[in-house]
Amino acid sequence: LTEVYSSSPALGRYFRSAQVISFSNESSTVTYQLVFSVPPSTEGFMENSMNPDFIRNILRQNIYDED
């Protein structure tokens, strides 16, 4: 995750760290925390760039690009 988000053209400059919060072998589920340093309130920044769907799609696109 660190490589994916730190190299992202859209979020790389804001990305600070990724940490695994929990891991389940039974369900193959990992919960992680992403830390971003966001600029002072910029109109639309939080609604667009920090939108959970947008952040998830960056990871999803990276996975598709690997295949």
Side-chain angles (χ1 to χ4, degrees):
L1 290 175
T2 299
E3 185 177 324
V4 170
Y5 288 106
S6 63
S7 65
S8 165
L11 296 177
R13 62 183 157 190
Y14 307 114
F15 178 75
R16 296 296 170 250
S17 65
Q19 177 179 350
V20 174
I21 303 298
S22 65
F23 181 81
S24 170
N25 284 327
E26 293 176 15
S27 64
S28 298
T29 301
V30 177
T31 303
Y32 55 89
Q33 177 183 30
L34 300 174
V35 177
F36 295 91
S37 177
V38 297
S41 184
T42 304
E43 188 175 328
F45 180 81
M46 291 303 290
E47 294 81 13
N48 298 315
S49 295
M50 291 292 113
N51 178 303
D53 288 332
F54 181 76
I55 293 170
R56 193 172 17 256
N57 285 336
I58 288 176
L59 177 58
R60 186 175 290 135
Q61 184 62 50
N62 181 268
I63 292 168
Y64 292 149
D65 289 348
E66 292 290 317
D67 292 340

